[in-house]
Amino acid sequence: MPLIDPRNRRIDYLRVSVTDRCNLSCAYCKPAGSMKVLPHADILRYEEIHRLVSVAVPLGITHVRITGGEPLVRRGIVPFIASLRDIAGLDDVSVTTNGVLLEEMAAGLRDAGISRLNISLDSLDPARFARITGSDSWHKVWRGIEEAERCGFHPIKINVVPVKGVNDDEVVAFARLTADRRIHVRFIEFMPIGAHDRWHTDACVPASEIRETIEKVFGPLEPADRGTGAGPSQNFRIPNGQGVIGLISPITKHFCESCRRLRLTADGKIRPCLLSDTEIDIRSPLRGGCGDAELERLLRFALEIKPERHYVTDSPGRCSVRTMSRIGG
Ligand code: SAM
C-alpha cells in the first residue's frame, strides 16, 4: 500500500535534514540568540537514515531532498549520497545548499548521482549578504553557482526569501538573472520556521507583490512549465527570458491540499508538516533495534496525523518588521 494520507494526498517526497549545523547564520533562519547545536550522538547516523529511506522507498517515496542545517558541512556527505543510489526505486536525490562549499564539492555531488541543486542566495550584494548571513562568503557562493553550472547541473535553482526592509528591493535584480541564463530563481515567502520568533506577516513579501514588482519592469510574465519534481512553485518567464521565475506562496496561498512531503529532522523525528511542531520519534525505535515493519508503521502514523493545512496565518507571529530591518541595508 502506497503512502496515502486520510485526505488522499499521496506522499512521494522525503526531505532529509542530515545536520543542524550550518556555516552561515542567516538572521531569518535562526532564532535570535540561539546557537545551541544538537549533541553529535543525537544526530542520526548515515546508516540510520539509509535504513529509513530504504523502508520508505518501496512505500512510494521516489524523491529525497538532502538539506540541513547546511548538508555540505557534514563529513562524508558525498559518499552517503552516493550510497542512496543503491536503493532501487529512488529516482531522484537532490540537495539544498547555501553554496559556500559548492565550488569544491559540485563535481563530487554530480558524480554521486545528484541531478538537481537548490542554492540559497538572499542578496546579490556581497556586503548585504554578509549582514544577512554573518559571513563574508558571497563571492565563494557565486563561484560555487558557476562551478555547478560548469559541472552540468540543470536546472540550477536559486532560492531567495524576500523579507520586507531587508532584501525586497532586490526582486528585480534576481529576476533579471533569468533574462539570459537558464537559471531558475525561486522566490519563497518568508515563513515562521527557524527564526519563528522574528516572523510576522508584515515581514513576509507576498508572491503577488513579487510578481507585480517584476511585471512593472519586464512586462507580463509568461507561464512556464512546472518542470521536474512538480513542487509547489508557480513558474513563469520574463518575456524572452532563458530562465524561469518561481513563486512559492506557503503563506498567502498555501498549497497544503497538494502537499506530498514528509520531513526527517537531523535528530530523527518525522515531521508531517514543516509548519507544525508535531513530530514522531523514529530514532529511539531505530536504535532500539526495531524491525522494518515498525518503521513502516511509524511512517504511516505520520500520515494519519498530517494536518489538513497549516494554521500560520490564523495566529500571526509576534516579531516586528523593525527587528528584521536591523539586518537589512
Ligand atoms: N543550508 C541550506 C540552504 O541554505 O539552502 C539548507 C537548509 S535551509 C533551512 C533551506 C531553505 O530554507 C533555504 O532556501 C532557506 O532560504 C529557506 N529558509 C530558511 N528559513 C526560512 C524562512 N523563515 N522562511 C522561508 N524560507 C526559509
Side-chain angles (χ1 to χ4, degrees):
M1 256 287 275
L3 294 172
I4 299 179
D5 82 357
R7 294 178 177 85
N8 221 21
R9 293 174 292 194
R10 192 184 182 119
I11 309 302
D12 61 3
Y13 179 119
L14 181 65
R15 204 175 164 99
V16 176
S17 171
V18 293
T19 179
D20 63 328
R21 269 86 169 157
C22 191
N23 44 2
L24 297 182
S25 52
C26 301
Y28 69 89
C29 187
K30 292 204 165 166
S34 152
M35 290 304 289
K36 259 203 226 144
V37 288
L38 291 166
H40 278 292
D42 287 359
I43 292 178
L44 283 192
R45 295 189 289 271
Y46 284 137
E47 343 40 296
E48 292 168 331
I49 301 174
H50 191 284
R51 172 147 181 242
L52 182 71
V53 175
S54 303
V55 169
V57 167
L59 305 178
I61 296 292
T62 55
H63 178 185
V64 167
R65 175 168 293 280
I66 306 294
T67 181
E70 169 49 37
L72 302 191
V73 301
R74 180 155 176 190
R75 203 172 311 148
I77 188 68
V78 173
F80 166 66
I81 289 170
S83 79
L84 294 174
R85 274 206 303 213
D86 57 57
I87 303 176
L90 182 58
D91 302 336
D92 192 2
V93 182
S94 54
V95 169
T96 299
T97 171
N98 59 32
V100 173
L101 295 174
L102 206 49
E103 197 181 1
E104 299 93 298
M105 296 177 74
L109 288 169
R110 179 201 54 206
D111 296 345
I114 293 291
S115 47
R116 295 183 296 120
L117 276 176
N118 286 16
I119 303 161
S120 309
L121 182 67
D122 294 306
S123 180
L124 293 171
D125 168 13
R128 178 181 281 174
F129 176 92
R131 284 195 292 279
I132 294 173
T133 64
S135 163
D136 201 9
S137 48
W138 187 91
H139 292 281
K140 206 161 164 22
V141 174
W142 195 256
R143 288 197 301 273
I145 292 172
E146 292 183 329
E147 179 59 14
E149 280 180 316
R150 246 192 315 276
C151 286
F153 284 102
H154 182 70
I156 290 188
K157 296 185 180 174
I158 296 189
N159 287 351
V160 190
V161 180
V163 178
K164 281 242 166 85
V166 176
N167 61 348
D168 54 332
D169 56 346
E170 293 194 58
V171 163
V172 167
F174 272 108
R176 189 167 282 121
L177 289 179
T178 68
D180 51 12
R181 297 170 90 121
R182 287 170 69 216
I183 225 152
H184 187 146
V185 173
R186 297 161 18 117
F187 295 99
I188 306 173
E189 287 177 348
F190 182 34
M191 293 178 270
I193 51 171
H196 44 80
D197 51 349
R198 297 178 178 205
W199 185 84
H200 191 278
T201 36
D202 294 346
C204 166
V205 187
S208 56
E209 197 176 310
I210 295 170
R211 180 172 183 167
E212 247 171 61
T213 305
I214 297 172
E215 290 191 326
K216 262 189 210 149
V217 175
F218 298 101
L221 292 177
E222 298 163 358
D225 267 1
R226 301 190 69 205
T228 332
S233 174
Q234 298 288 321
N235 289 346
F236 303 93
R237 287 181 200 280
I238 59 175
N240 302 315
Q242 299 296 301
V244 172
I245 291 174
L247 298 176
I248 305 178
S249 56
I251 301 300
T252 59
K253 207 167 169 228
H254 72 75
F255 31 81
C256 305
E257 67 288 346
S258 58
C259 181
R260 299 154 39 199
R261 299 176 179 192
L262 286 181
R263 290 164 202 271
L264 176 64
T265 66
D267 57 346
K269 310 282 190 325
I270 295 279
R271 272 194 174 223
C273 169
L274 174 66
L275 292 167
S276 144
D277 289 337
T278 308
E279 295 179 333
I280 296 166
D281 178 25
I282 210 138
R283 188 185 67 208
S284 310
L286 264 172
R287 293 190 179 168
C290 77
D292 288 354
E294 176 60 3
L295 292 178
E296 178 176 340
R297 190 188 69 77
L298 290 167
L299 284 166
R300 292 195 186 282
F301 180 58
L303 265 55
E304 289 298 314
I305 62 169
K306 189 172 169 66
E308 180 177 3
R309 66 175 182 95
H310 73 68
Y311 298 94
V312 164
T313 36
D314 300 8
S315 54
R318 287 158 293 139
C319 86
S320 70
V321 178
R322 221 180 35 230
T323 318
M324 293 307 303
S325 310
R326 197 171 45 75
I327 58 165

